[in-house]
Amino acid sequence: MKNYAETELKDMEVLAGKYREFLDLGKTERECARNIVKIAEENGYRNLEEILEKEETLKAGDKVYAVNMEKAVLMMEIGTDDLEKGMLLVGSHIDSPRLDLKQKPLYENTGMAYLDTHYYGGIKKYQWVASPMAIHGTVVKKDGTALNIAIGEKPEDPVVGITDLLVHLSAKQMEKSASVVIEGEALDVLVGTRPLEGEEKENQVKNYILKVLKEQYQIEEEDFVSAELEVVPAGKARDFGLDSSMIMAYGQDDRICAFCSLMALLHSKKTAKTKVCLFVDKEEIGSVGATGMQSRFLENTVAEVLNCLGQYSELKLRRALKNSSMLSADVNAGFDPLYAEAFEKNNSAYVGKGAVISKYTGSRGKGGSNDANAEYLGKLRQAFDAGEVQYQTAELGKIDVGGGGTIAYITAAYGMDVVDLGVPILNMHAPYEISSKADVYETSKCYKAFYEM
Ligand code: MN
Ligand code: MN
């Protein structure tokens, strides 16, 4: 990390505080989307739905937001240039690896009640046992009422969790390879042991849990069918390190980039180009579905805005997308000296050394990657130097050690310039990930310099 001036360190601390709060308020994509909408409204952004309903028009300087199924959000500040000249987009994802409850999750076994899960995204399953977990999500009743719940975050709340075999009896387990030490079907969450009093002999512990769910959360067993409940690590984001230079928290991939881009959008100057901040869902399972980057949410929203500006045509929509520049805002691996063999030192990102540009991602010979154009990177270097941003470049680990992807290749299909740019993270996809406050600070500055280029 470089030596920062007193004032910069102060700004960094303020930003880190806001970031921790952002993480605490958004531990699922729905919660995060809700919080982003709240912040957008506080900053003068208006719901596009409302503008469409009232058949209002839009003009340069207007600020709007659109929400896709409560899980993805697009914020836009309309510039003075015609939209067909292109936009400046920063796109991140707000879903994170976790354990989703199955549709029929609740069962009892030997006097203990469990909730069965199906993991979401790439996880090392053995990391998710023997620690406190919370249940967050939405239950939709048959009549359409939606209940939002979060159990396990308040100090007085109970937590839940997954048990692991005691070490004394683990001789055989310890011989297994790490990928099967804990298997997917063993990720069942222990939720109770108290039996319901009554005549019945069977399933009285499960019945007690049903009573609790009914009395405290108005949830019945059948309601799990129309629910999205996510088991996530319990607790708040914390300062990390004896020098408090880092942050440890669940879900920093990729809410860290979501936060930095949101801050950049809110604090950047008015520009000729239209600025867009996009927060999508489902990246961790391939950007699929109606709320993932592969859906038409971006395209449809830009079409609606063009229409409200009195500029809509299919051709103008295509031009607006093609002429845009984008930062695919996603995390990269921070170099970890304890696992140095997985990295190539010269082309790794270092925690605390600023935002990281990844020209390409992918695996086995750049497979599946968006390999950004040199011309585009040249332009960005100029913008970042003008904004006095500290940045670095990196690949995701050594060649053929593994790999990964982002949303970059999806928007690149419109013919726009896209490159991955985000924050280096330690412990990526572990229940608690680690980031550097300096990188949150630099990456926010980086996205701001991009919006102002
Ligand atoms: Mn990511
Ligand atoms: Mn990820």
Side-chain angles (χ1 to χ4, degrees), residues 93 97 253 283-284 428-429:
H93 67 92
D253 171 10
E283 193 276 341
E284 296 295 357
M428 197 198 293
H429 283 208

Side-chain angles (χ1 to χ4, degrees), residues 93 95-97 121-122 253-254 283-285 330-331 405 428-429 433:
H93 67 92
D95 61 316
S96 294
D253 171 10
D254 182 34
E283 193 276 341
E284 296 295 357
I285 57 166
D330 210 341
V331 296
M428 197 198 293
H429 283 208
E433 302 168 313

